[in-house]
Amino acid sequence: MKRFLTLSLAALSVVSFVGCEPTEFKEGVVMAGGQYVSAATLNKGKQIYQEYCMACHGVDGGGDGVASKGLQPPPRNFKLGIIKFGNVVSGELPHDDAIYKALKHGLNGSAMLPWDLKQDQMVAVWQYIKTFAPDTWIGKDKELGKKFDREKFKDPFTIARRQQAIELGRKIYHVEANCQSCHRGYVTEAEMNLMSKELTGDEYGELEEDFYKLKIQESDHGYAVVPPDFTWHELRSVRADKAVEDIYVRLLGGVGGTAMPAWKDTLEDHKIWALAYYIDYLRGYKNSAKRQNFVARMKK
Ligand code: HEC
Ligand code: HEC
């Protein structure tokens, strides 16, 4: 890959020296949300893209670059115009700052590493990437989604009532939201029946055969996706120092183009916070000697 990058760099400088690159942008465009992007910005973005991003994301943004082979998950296919980790309800168009967050911090557990780019470089490269999906991004008629405003978040638990949040989150996860229909369950049959009785008045009965298994899901990205086991996998969009808040955002909005739903209008707000604390608690078992005992209790 290193050699490839050097080669493409050499090719680029020849082109700019000759000054006749065929697909150079001559005009600016208006992007979704009414944002005007100049030709100079797009050309700068293209150069950055070719230097740093093309090896994985491909010449035309198709996610099929020379370094993409065998990557799991595969690099995003930008032609589809679908973003997974936006700051809006999935399906709506995300605001640029959600992408800058992914660029700055990377997407954990994937080949998408953190990039040390300056703000103007991030702006340029992301505006250029939008041109791979003009039907999604270009045109003043296109609107961005309603952004989640972190400033206005009100965590009803805070760290002081963390334990209470975890207890509630465990119940919501398994009984009300049935998250284990895609992800896996993290309680025993006895615990499941107790929680179910308490919340619904009825016992749950026998656990399904696949209660403790991850259920692979189709996606709009052209490949199947694995719902993470929170005690095992990295969470792509979750930063260690802001875990509960980042998980809360993900639960509000879901994961674009995948089966992971947006819970914003399905569950009450305090229950989504409780789930965020519970998922963060499960994350604590990752790389911990305690994980073995925790999951060993749960066999089917
Ligand atoms: C080594 C391979 C690699 C390189 C180089 C790379 N990416 Fe990625 N990128 C990925 C992978 C893999 C994903 C998909 C992760 C996932 O599906 O969770 C991704 C996803 C993305 C996403 C989608 C985020 C979302 O929420 O859907 C954006 C935007 C992105 N990359 C931008 C860039 C930019 C800009 C560069 C260059 C500065 C770059 N990438 C370089 C591998 C790479
Ligand atoms: C219909 C299937 C389905 C259901 C139901 C579901 N999920 Fe997911 N979830 C997924 C899939 C698929 C992914 C992985 C998407 C990807 O990374 O491409 C995912 C990813 C996640 C992530 C990781 C986000 C990241 O940054 O990597 C979290 C957290 C999550 N789900 C929590 C939950 C919780 C909590 C519930 C219940 C309230 C739930 N999910 C219900 C399918 C589902």
Side-chain angles (χ1 to χ4, degrees), residues 27 44-45 68 75 79 84 114 137 141 143 179 204 225 227 229 260 265 267 269 293:
E27 287 169 24
K44 175 169 138 188
S68 70
K79 289 181 181 172
K84 279 190 187 177
W137 287 108
D141 53 315
E143 283 176 28
C179 306
Y204 186 80
V225 291
D229 174 344
M260 172 65 192
D265 297 322
L267 292 173
D269 193 60
N293 283 340

Side-chain angles (χ1 to χ4, degrees), residues 7 27 52 88 91 157 159 163 181 226 241 277 279 285 294:
L7 278 176
E27 287 169 24
Y52 300 123
V88 294
F157 297 98
I159 200 75
Q163 201 50 42
S181 65
V226 187
D241 60 335
Y277 276 95
I279 301 295
Y285 282 101
F294 180 70

Side-chain angles (χ1 to χ4, degrees), residues 82 84 90 179 181-183 215-221 223-228 253-263:
I82 311 171
K84 279 190 187 177
S90 57
C179 306
S181 65
C182 293
H183 299 269
K215 293 90 184 169
I216 311 271
Q217 304 287 316
E218 294 302 312
S219 83
D220 300 338
H221 296 275
Y223 53 84
V225 291
V226 187
V255 180
T258 80
M260 172 65 192
W263 294 93

